Amino acid sequence: MKEIIRLKVNGDDYELLVEPELSLLKALRDSIGLTGAKEGCGAGECGACTVLVNNKAVNSCLMLAVQADGCEVTTIEGLAVDGKLDPIQQAFMDHGAVQCGFCSPGMIMTAKGLLAEKPNLSREQIKDGLVGNICRCTGYSKIIKAVHALSLKTSGGNE
Amino acid sequence: MSEIKYLRPASMEEASALLIKHGAEAKLLAGGTDLLLQLRNNLIKPRYLIDIGFLPELSSIAQNEDRINIGAAVKIAEIENSEVVRSQLPALASAARVLASHQVRNLATLGGNLCNAAPSADTAPALMAFGAEVSIYSPQGIRKMLLEDFFAGPGKTILKQGEILIGVTVPLPAQGSKCIYLKHTLKRSMDIAIVGVAVKIDWVEQTCQNVGLVLGAVAPTPIRIKQAEAMINGSKLDQETVIGAAEAAALQCQPITDIRCSGDYRRLMVKVLTTRALEMLKNGVTEN
């Protein structure tokens, strides 16, 4: 039996009619048309579906849309403001941390969630923070470098 | 047309009443990180999902006098980052930190981890080593028991129809109490434990007391190794005691062979990790 949910996505208000078993991921992609979040595994293992819900990074494939009623969701599409990239997106570009780009939205949203909680992260903390995000192309090192460089910049260069 | 109805009760009473009304057709939902996978793989076919993840009665971590209460709907991430848990129950914070991933921890709940009752559940060994109790809600009232008596087998707890886990109560460890949780996995992370070891020791004038030694992932449920605890209690954790306790732990566990590794390997790792945990506690190291 369908439920009405009301949620904010990237600052915009949405009212959706959803089946209870619809994942937040499918609601974002199919009902709203925000296809940045990807279904890599559908099981919470790969992180390609990562979005922020109330500022916390979560696997949107593991949340039901009905659980997001009343929540504020941020997807990769919501990061850039007036065409200006988020510092994380800029760091990924500057450090060549994107190849095919499939994992990138999830990587960036997880990094955003991590840095929001702790702006000053060591390389080991970044590696631990990104264990839930799989990348097939880059071998991770430039992704870690990008996030670390941003972390150092934010903390004024003090590690 | 969807067969499933989503319900969000406003109280424990309402949740329990719905659970009883719908019986085997209903499942409780909190974080959903285990439930949704079971649903998608058709391992369960509920017609009603009763969401208790938002109930305030289940959502807090609080230190009262001589105990710490953690609600069943508290997220693993909250346990990981809680000042109370990190300062008073550091092995539980360590366990929370190695559970799955950052994203999963922002959804998964303590109650889910315990009620899903995987033998490898990360939060169980440390909580059992601390002597934690569970509180269970039923229409007849609230009942309590030791966490070590809560598990009935792989994926099974003693919860009866209509009962809901409210949370855990952990006695505040004594001054000079030290604890550790070590988790052995095949990969660096994003893996369930193939062996988990939690040890808690109260140090009183360099002598061990009130020892809790618990193994995860090597028996149908997480298990306390009382023989090893008895060996360590009253000792100064000398080399002979460490060896004896590690051997007792290795003997008492019942590890299986599965796709991850053999039972023999698990048994060997129990010995290695128990030895390591005891030596780390002796040397005052509590972070792995």
Side-chain angles (χ1 to χ4, degrees), chain B residues 56-98:
Chain B
E57 306 94 300
L58 306 179
S59 301
S60 65
I61 302 175
Q63 182 172 338
N64 309 312
E65 301 169 8
D66 60 346
R67 66 194 83 93
I68 295 164
N69 290 309
I70 307 176
V74 170
K75 308 274 182 219
I76 302 296
E78 291 172 270
I79 293 174
E80 178 191 356
N81 296 317
S82 156
E83 259 318 301
V84 169
V85 177
R86 286 162 82 145
S87 58
Q88 307 290 357
L89 310 171
L92 180 61
S94 294
R97 190 157 46 248
V98 295

Side-chain angles (χ1 to χ4, degrees), chain A residues 108-119:
Chain A
I108 290 169
M109 296 317 291
T110 306
K112 187 133 178 91
L114 291 169
L115 291 168
E117 281 179 19
K118 197 169 182 295

Side-chain angles (χ1 to χ4, degrees), chain B:
Chain B
M1 184 64 184
S2 169
E3 296 264 337
I4 296 184
K5 190 145 170 50
Y6 172 79
L7 303 164
R8 203 189 278 195
S11 67
M12 290 291 282
E13 291 79 15
E14 202 185 323
S16 178
L18 286 168
L19 205 51
I20 291 171
K21 179 178 175 191
H22 297 299
E25 290 192 314
K27 285 283 178 190
L28 290 173
L29 170 67
T33 54
D34 284 318
L35 190 84
L36 260 56
L37 295 180
Q38 291 167 7
L39 196 63
R40 303 240 175 85
N41 292 326
N42 284 321
L43 296 170
I44 54 171
K45 289 185 180 137
R47 296 199 59 201
Y48 301 91
L49 291 177
I50 302 168
D51 193 341
I52 55 170
F54 299 91
L55 288 176
E57 306 94 300
L58 306 179
S59 301
S60 65
I61 302 175
Q63 182 172 338
N64 309 312
E65 301 169 8
D66 60 346
R67 66 194 83 93
I68 295 164
N69 290 309
I70 307 176
V74 170
K75 308 274 182 219
I76 302 296
E78 291 172 270
I79 293 174
E80 178 191 356
N81 296 317
S82 156
E83 259 318 301
V84 169
V85 177
R86 286 162 82 145
S87 58
Q88 307 290 357
L89 310 171
L92 180 61
S94 294
R97 190 157 46 248
V98 295
L99 195 153
S101 68
H102 174 74
Q103 296 97 303
V104 170
R105 296 197 288 275
N106 278 330
L107 288 172
T109 62
L110 176 65
N113 194 232
L114 295 177
C115 294
N116 199 50
S120 58
D122 281 313
T123 60
L127 282 171
M128 280 167 62
F130 286 124
E133 272 192 340
V134 292
S135 294
I136 297 167
Y137 178 94
S138 81
Q140 288 74 42
I142 294 175
R143 63 182 179 124
K144 291 182 197 276
M145 67 180 61
L146 286 174
L147 177 58
E148 64 195 69
D149 298 324
F150 180 70
F151 303 110
K156 290 196 182 75
T157 66
I158 49 74
L159 288 174
K160 298 205 262 278
Q161 192 69 257
E163 288 187 325
I164 303 173
L165 179 69
I166 298 172
V168 301
T169 302
V170 190
L172 206 64
Q175 268 293 72
S177 182
K178 294 276 182 263
C179 58
I180 194 164
Y181 175 65
L182 296 180
K183 174 181 182 178
H184 193 49
T185 51
L186 292 181
K187 301 181 297 195
R188 174 189 171 128
S189 49
M190 272 312 266
D191 221 347
I192 67 169
I194 43 180
V195 170
V197 177
V199 186
K200 187 267 285 182
I201 296 178
D202 290 351
W203 288 100
V204 182
E205 282 158 21
Q206 295 175 348
T207 306
C208 302
Q209 290 192 14
N210 296 322
V211 176
L213 197 154
V214 183
L215 302 179
V218 287
T221 68
I223 48 170
R224 267 182 72 185
I225 309 294
K226 298 194 177 171
Q227 264 172 314
E229 291 172 357
M231 282 183 195
I232 303 168
N233 272 324
S235 80
K236 293 195 189 292
L237 211 51
D238 51 288
Q239 193 62 356
E240 207 181 304
T241 305
V242 172
I243 292 170
E247 267 169 13
L251 269 172
Q252 290 299 305
C253 65
Q254 311 144 48
I256 59 169
T257 294
D258 66 5
I259 55 162
R260 287 182 172 83
C261 60
S262 69
D264 286 342
Y265 178 73
R266 284 188 165 97
R267 196 180 295 280
L268 177 59
M269 285 301 112
V270 163
K271 195 165 160 183
V272 169
L273 288 186
T274 304
T275 306
R276 189 178 296 174
L278 292 172
E279 283 173 353
M280 285 170 85
L281 286 183
K282 179 150 196 208
N283 297 330
V285 178
T286 49
E287 280 298 321
N288 43 319

Side-chain angles (χ1 to χ4, degrees), chain A residues 59-80:
Chain A
N59 295 309
S60 59
C61 72
L62 284 186
M63 250 186 104
L64 297 177
V66 287
Q67 291 176 294
D69 182 40
C71 293
E72 288 192 18
V73 179
T74 312
T75 71
I76 188 74
E77 291 92 342
L79 284 199

Side-chain angles (χ1 to χ4, degrees), chain A residues 87-156:
Chain A
I88 300 179
Q89 291 170 303
Q90 189 65 50
F92 268 57
M93 274 178 56
D94 293 343
H95 292 272
V98 180
Q99 287 188 29
C100 82
F102 192 86
C103 77
S104 305
M107 280 286 182
I108 290 169
M109 296 317 291
T110 306
K112 187 133 178 91
L114 291 169
L115 291 168
E117 281 179 19
K118 197 169 182 295
N120 190 4
L121 291 170
S122 69
R123 284 181 59 87
E124 284 306 303
Q125 287 171 323
I126 292 166
K127 284 190 203 173
D128 282 339
L130 292 178
V131 298
N133 291 81
I134 299 178
C135 173
R136 193 65 185 83
C137 301
T138 67
Y140 302 98
S141 69
K142 290 187 181 180
I143 293 173
I144 295 162
K145 203 166 164 194
V147 181
H148 193 229
L150 187 61
S151 193
L152 286 175
K153 204 157 108 178
T154 317
S155 65

